[in-house]
């Protein structure tokens, strides 16, 4: 029995596809704008598909509710001050703690991307086209969006946090390091 002739077990085609997709997802982590642009285009494609088919309103409603749920997770802190005690700084004198999300941006995008792809695929199967009166679904969805975002904004105001950063905070001259020069021999520091 020769051990050198053993070949690794065959990799199934599904595993190859899974590895390819995971490699593609891993490469997109640093490209924020292209990812979100692709998602926006997919949502437009889905909207056009639903418009021309004139159906699949339940699928659209489910997609909207799911994406609203993702948005709430994205806007929520990882540790909720209401249930876990005050973790966020409440005064200016407390130590700064960065805002950590319950749902990180990349996972938000990936979940939304998968949901839109699934919704697009569902529009090709008539079993998902249930007859509903779509204006009631739209009104109920708008009501849900208003109520949940109102609650989230109230929570942000109550606990004094903003889940969106507008760039890196800079401190100007405070963080600049001055190199020591050899001009003064008496060892005094320049206070300029």
């Amino acid at each position: 029995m020769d051990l050198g002739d053993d070949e690794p077990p065959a990799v199934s085609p599904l595993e190859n596809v899974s590895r390819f997709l995971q490699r593609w997802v891993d490469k997109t982590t640093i490209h924020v704008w292209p990812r979100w642009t692709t998602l926006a285009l997919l949502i437009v494609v889905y909207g056009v598909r639903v418009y021309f088919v004139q159906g699949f309103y339940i699928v659209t409603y489910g997609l909207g509710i799911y994406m609203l749920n993702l948005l709430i997770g994205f806007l929520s802190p990882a540790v909720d001050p209401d249930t876990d005690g005050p973790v966020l700084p409440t005064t200016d004198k407390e130590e700064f703690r960065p805002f950590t999300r319950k749902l990180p941006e990349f996972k938000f995008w990936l979940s939304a991307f998968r949901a839109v792809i699934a919704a697009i695929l569902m529009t090709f199967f008539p079993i998902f086209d249930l007859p509903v009166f779509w204006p009631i679904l739209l009104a109920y969805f708008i009501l849900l969006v208003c109520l949940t975002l109102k609650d989230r904004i109230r929570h942000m105001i109550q606990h004094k946090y903003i889940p969106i950063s507008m760039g890196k905070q800079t401190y100007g001259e405070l963080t600049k390091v001055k190199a020591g020069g050899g001009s003064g021999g008496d060892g005094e520091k320049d206070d300029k």
Side-chain angles (χ1 to χ4, degrees), residues 73-134:
F74 180 71
L75 296 177
S76 300
V79 179
D80 190 8
D82 288 338
T83 58
D84 300 330
V87 178
L88 296 172
T90 55
T91 65
D92 292 340
K93 305 218 181 318
E94 288 186 41
E95 178 184 348
F96 171 75
R97 281 174 250 150
F99 181 79
T100 54
R101 302 176 187 286
K102 187 181 287 187
L103 181 67
E105 179 267 337
F106 182 76
K107 288 186 179 181
F108 177 29
W109 171 81
L110 186 60
S111 298
F113 187 82
R114 288 176 177 164
V116 173
I117 292 291
I120 289 172
L121 291 176
M122 291 171 90
T123 62
F124 291 102
F125 299 100
I127 194 168
F128 297 113
D129 189 13
L130 302 173
V132 293
F133 187 59
W134 67 267

Side-chain angles (χ1 to χ4, degrees), residues 81-82 90 151-161:
D82 288 338
T90 55
D151 180 52
R152 203 48 16 211
I153 291 170
R154 184 180 295 136
H155 191 267
M156 290 178 209
I157 292 170
Q158 177 185 1
H159 297 289
K160 298 178 180 130
Y161 68 91

Side-chain angles (χ1 to χ4, degrees), residues 171-192:
Y171 296 97
E173 294 292 323
L174 293 175
T175 58
K176 290 187 180 176
V177 177
K178 295 180 182 172
S183 60
D186 55 356
E188 290 183 22
K189 294 183 180 176
D190 189 13
D191 291 334
K192 291 181 186 177

